[in-house]
Amino acid sequence: MTSTVSPGSGTLLRHTLGEWRIALVAWRLLVLQNADPAVAAGVAQFSTYRAHPWRRIEHTMDSGKHLFFSDRDTLRREIARLDRTHRRIGGTDAQGRTFTATDPKVRVWVLVTVYESMTAMRELSGNPLSHAELDQLYGEFRSVCAEFGLADELFPETAADVPAYMDRTIRERLEYTEAVHDLLYTMLRQAPAPRRLGRLRPAWPLLRLLVARTLTALTLADLPPSFRERFDLPRTPAAAALSWTLHHGMRLVVTRLPDRLRYRTLPADTLPSQPSPAPVAGATDTPVAVRMPRPRRRSRREGARSHRVDAFFRQVLDQTGDGYINAADLQAMAHNACWQLELDEAREAEVYAAFDTWWQQIRSTMDADADGRVSRAEFVTAMLAGIDRDPDYLATGLHIAVHALFRAADADGSGHLCADEYRALFGGSRVHPAELNHGFRQLDADGDGQITEEEFVHAFTEYFTARADTTAGAQLLGRP
């Protein structure tokens, strides 16, 4: 009989990783991980962090919750999901070196940096873990890592061996990659406003600059000395003072808060004793997989349609944010759908295959200059021309992906999407419930409280073909 107790359920790991102040070393963690050339190559070619940084962060936090704060069965499902995702990430980097996200040494590095970041948080706050606590924390951490099936000899043998492992890896393998530079100096200065910003959204350009400067200074101050020395990264007195103030101040404040405020994810021994509510079928805490853009009103009908197609490219298709779409963008869309719906391997494969078919149609009909990617201008021109020329144009590409999305979201196999299943596919914390409810009602053409596959596909068809924004399909996630 399989045990459902999580390996790593020890209180020290969960209390350390679950505190809100772990966020102070989160950017430092990302810099260390992305300095591995294989990680950086995967990020450059497959990640959506430039266009969707907040979604990427939420995905990472969600995965961490499943790995370190769940039962054994959930942990193993998460590892299997990560394995399937990583098998699709590989190729040749800008220097012509082959890489794969399944490389055991790379995976061990990514895991060990999580442990090292927990110890760094304690050290930087002036309250380092004792030798006994380090051994306990590392033991709990390794019990989780054991579920990944990686060779023991790839890990530092004990907690005392971790610093030497970090220094050796920094000297021998890490590089100052483009991803590292983006994290330190570029990404936050260009990041879109978080959806939870609310009324502060107009101030985001100013807030973004302040956050970027603060986080850069903090990260540079907190990185391991060997990392800063190797890549000649400065630690100014002002940055050192900022680091001391933030880490010590957060320790004094956070450790005095009640558990419900102190922890981002409550450790098991701080949870209330009452049973948890039963999960709603299709419900999810993860962010939206495929978010349809909200069209703006246009006075000319053809202008409205053209604008929607253009917005679909910018907000949905261009997942990597480089102004083009290629196979990686469509793969990212499939990944987001599979991630938040938590599909099994067979259903996940169906979604990926459908999106690959859609990409092949896009490439063969839209890549005018045959460079293996499609620009926004190429997409808009070819999409409008294809729709006007061929009534079956959408059926050979978009519809295949949409059918796959519907079947993936239809958790109970009823042939209909209920409101909960619709929210699971399009919702999450970033979309207002009123907009989701409006979108659901628009698609529910006969008002029976459920969406058929035909209604679902028809709505996407209308999004691309309708001449006016008042058509229901033009309002999948909001009013124009």
Side-chain angles (χ1 to χ4, degrees), residues 207-219:
L207 290 173
R208 177 172 58 189
L209 182 60
L210 177 62
V211 170
R213 288 178 174 175
T214 301
L215 199 52
T216 295
L218 177 67
T219 304

PDB file of all heavy atoms in Angstrom, residues 207-219:
ATOM      1  N   LEU A 207       6.534  52.582 -10.175  1.00  0.00           N
ATOM      2  CA  LEU A 207       6.756  51.509  -9.214  1.00  0.00           C
ATOM      3  C   LEU A 207       7.702  50.449  -9.779  1.00  0.00           C
ATOM      4  O   LEU A 207       8.553  49.913  -9.064  1.00  0.00           O
ATOM      5  CB  LEU A 207       5.415  50.854  -8.850  1.00  0.00           C
ATOM      6  CG  LEU A 207       4.444  51.682  -8.014  1.00  0.00           C
ATOM      7  CD1 LEU A 207       3.114  50.956  -7.886  1.00  0.00           C
ATOM      8  CD2 LEU A 207       5.032  51.968  -6.639  1.00  0.00           C
ATOM      9  N   ARG A 208       7.539  50.168 -11.064  1.00  0.00           N
ATOM     10  CA  ARG A 208       8.375  49.165 -11.708  1.00  0.00           C
ATOM     11  C   ARG A 208       9.849  49.535 -11.635  1.00  0.00           C
ATOM     12  O   ARG A 208      10.705  48.686 -11.352  1.00  0.00           O
ATOM     13  CB  ARG A 208       7.933  49.016 -13.166  1.00  0.00           C
ATOM     14  CG  ARG A 208       8.755  48.058 -13.995  1.00  0.00           C
ATOM     15  CD  ARG A 208       8.099  47.840 -15.344  1.00  0.00           C
ATOM     16  NE  ARG A 208       7.922  49.072 -16.092  1.00  0.00           N
ATOM     17  CZ  ARG A 208       7.224  49.168 -17.225  1.00  0.00           C
ATOM     18  NH1 ARG A 208       6.615  48.108 -17.720  1.00  0.00           N
ATOM     19  NH2 ARG A 208       7.121  50.316 -17.859  1.00  0.00           N
ATOM     20  N   LEU A 209      10.155  50.795 -11.869  1.00  0.00           N
ATOM     21  CA  LEU A 209      11.545  51.239 -11.804  1.00  0.00           C
ATOM     22  C   LEU A 209      12.088  51.119 -10.387  1.00  0.00           C
ATOM     23  O   LEU A 209      13.220  50.671 -10.174  1.00  0.00           O
ATOM     24  CB  LEU A 209      11.647  52.683 -12.294  1.00  0.00           C
ATOM     25  CG  LEU A 209      13.044  53.293 -12.334  1.00  0.00           C
ATOM     26  CD1 LEU A 209      13.949  52.496 -13.267  1.00  0.00           C
ATOM     27  CD2 LEU A 209      12.969  54.754 -12.780  1.00  0.00           C
ATOM     28  N   LEU A 210      11.280  51.485  -9.403  1.00  0.00           N
ATOM     29  CA  LEU A 210      11.699  51.410  -8.005  1.00  0.00           C
ATOM     30  C   LEU A 210      11.926  49.958  -7.591  1.00  0.00           C
ATOM     31  O   LEU A 210      12.949  49.628  -6.966  1.00  0.00           O
ATOM     32  CB  LEU A 210      10.641  52.057  -7.114  1.00  0.00           C
ATOM     33  CG  LEU A 210      10.895  51.988  -5.606  1.00  0.00           C
ATOM     34  CD1 LEU A 210      12.175  52.734  -5.247  1.00  0.00           C
ATOM     35  CD2 LEU A 210       9.705  52.561  -4.841  1.00  0.00           C
ATOM     36  N   VAL A 211      10.987  49.090  -7.955  1.00  0.00           N
ATOM     37  CA  VAL A 211      11.115  47.669  -7.615  1.00  0.00           C
ATOM     38  C   VAL A 211      12.344  47.069  -8.290  1.00  0.00           C
ATOM     39  O   VAL A 211      13.103  46.307  -7.675  1.00  0.00           O
ATOM     40  CB  VAL A 211       9.840  46.908  -8.016  1.00  0.00           C
ATOM     41  CG1 VAL A 211      10.053  45.402  -7.907  1.00  0.00           C
ATOM     42  CG2 VAL A 211       8.664  47.336  -7.161  1.00  0.00           C
ATOM     43  N   ALA A 212      12.566  47.418  -9.554  1.00  0.00           N
ATOM     44  CA  ALA A 212      13.692  46.858 -10.297  1.00  0.00           C
ATOM     45  C   ALA A 212      15.022  47.263  -9.661  1.00  0.00           C
ATOM     46  O   ALA A 212      15.919  46.426  -9.483  1.00  0.00           O
ATOM     47  CB  ALA A 212      13.635  47.322 -11.754  1.00  0.00           C
ATOM     48  N   ARG A 213      15.147  48.529  -9.332  1.00  0.00           N
ATOM     49  CA  ARG A 213      16.410  49.000  -8.731  1.00  0.00           C
ATOM     50  C   ARG A 213      16.646  48.351  -7.373  1.00  0.00           C
ATOM     51  O   ARG A 213      17.778  47.950  -7.043  1.00  0.00           O
ATOM     52  CB  ARG A 213      16.383  50.518  -8.610  1.00  0.00           C
ATOM     53  CG  ARG A 213      16.507  51.237  -9.954  1.00  0.00           C
ATOM     54  CD  ARG A 213      16.434  52.741  -9.769  1.00  0.00           C
ATOM     55  NE  ARG A 213      16.685  53.442 -11.024  1.00  0.00           N
ATOM     56  CZ  ARG A 213      16.584  54.763 -11.171  1.00  0.00           C
ATOM     57  NH1 ARG A 213      16.241  55.533 -10.138  1.00  0.00           N
ATOM     58  NH2 ARG A 213      16.826  55.322 -12.347  1.00  0.00           N
ATOM     59  N   THR A 214      15.590  48.261  -6.571  1.00  0.00           N
ATOM     60  CA  THR A 214      15.724  47.668  -5.245  1.00  0.00           C
ATOM     61  C   THR A 214      16.101  46.200  -5.338  1.00  0.00           C
ATOM     62  O   THR A 214      17.002  45.717  -4.635  1.00  0.00           O
ATOM     63  CB  THR A 214      14.408  47.825  -4.463  1.00  0.00           C
ATOM     64  OG1 THR A 214      14.087  49.215  -4.349  1.00  0.00           O
ATOM     65  CG2 THR A 214      14.521  47.206  -3.083  1.00  0.00           C
ATOM     66  N   LEU A 215      15.418  45.463  -6.215  1.00  0.00           N
ATOM     67  CA  LEU A 215      15.669  44.033  -6.329  1.00  0.00           C
ATOM     68  C   LEU A 215      17.047  43.747  -6.912  1.00  0.00           C
ATOM     69  O   LEU A 215      17.712  42.786  -6.505  1.00  0.00           O
ATOM     70  CB  LEU A 215      14.583  43.389  -7.188  1.00  0.00           C
ATOM     71  CG  LEU A 215      14.415  41.872  -7.067  1.00  0.00           C
ATOM     72  CD1 LEU A 215      14.256  41.470  -5.614  1.00  0.00           C
ATOM     73  CD2 LEU A 215      13.226  41.409  -7.878  1.00  0.00           C
ATOM     74  N   THR A 216      17.494  44.564  -7.852  1.00  0.00           N
ATOM     75  CA  THR A 216      18.838  44.392  -8.394  1.00  0.00           C
ATOM     76  C   THR A 216      19.887  44.597  -7.307  1.00  0.00           C
ATOM     77  O   THR A 216      20.809  43.790  -7.150  1.00  0.00           O
ATOM     78  CB  THR A 216      19.084  45.363  -9.550  1.00  0.00           C
ATOM     79  OG1 THR A 216      18.209  45.040 -10.633  1.00  0.00           O
ATOM     80  CG2 THR A 216      20.519  45.290 -10.036  1.00  0.00           C
ATOM     81  N   ALA A 217      19.748  45.679  -6.547  1.00  0.00           N
ATOM     82  CA  ALA A 217      20.712  45.958  -5.479  1.00  0.00           C
ATOM     83  C   ALA A 217      20.700  44.851  -4.427  1.00  0.00           C
ATOM     84  O   ALA A 217      21.755  44.383  -3.975  1.00  0.00           O
ATOM     85  CB  ALA A 217      20.401  47.304  -4.831  1.00  0.00           C
ATOM     86  N   LEU A 218      19.509  44.401  -4.034  1.00  0.00           N
ATOM     87  CA  LEU A 218      19.398  43.348  -3.029  1.00  0.00           C
ATOM     88  C   LEU A 218      20.029  42.049  -3.521  1.00  0.00           C
ATOM     89  O   LEU A 218      20.777  41.388  -2.784  1.00  0.00           O
ATOM     90  CB  LEU A 218      17.924  43.127  -2.687  1.00  0.00           C
ATOM     91  CG  LEU A 218      17.620  41.999  -1.697  1.00  0.00           C
ATOM     92  CD1 LEU A 218      18.165  42.344  -0.315  1.00  0.00           C
ATOM     93  CD2 LEU A 218      16.116  41.722  -1.635  1.00  0.00           C
ATOM     94  N   THR A 219      19.737  41.679  -4.753  1.00  0.00           N
ATOM     95  CA  THR A 219      20.258  40.423  -5.293  1.00  0.00           C
ATOM     96  C   THR A 219      21.770  40.462  -5.418  1.00  0.00           C
ATOM     97  O   THR A 219      22.461  39.490  -5.057  1.00  0.00           O
ATOM     98  CB  THR A 219      19.615  40.128  -6.659  1.00  0.00           C
ATOM     99  OG1 THR A 219      18.193  40.110  -6.518  1.00  0.00           O
ATOM    100  CG2 THR A 219      20.091  38.801  -7.215  1.00  0.00           C
TER     101      THR A 219
END
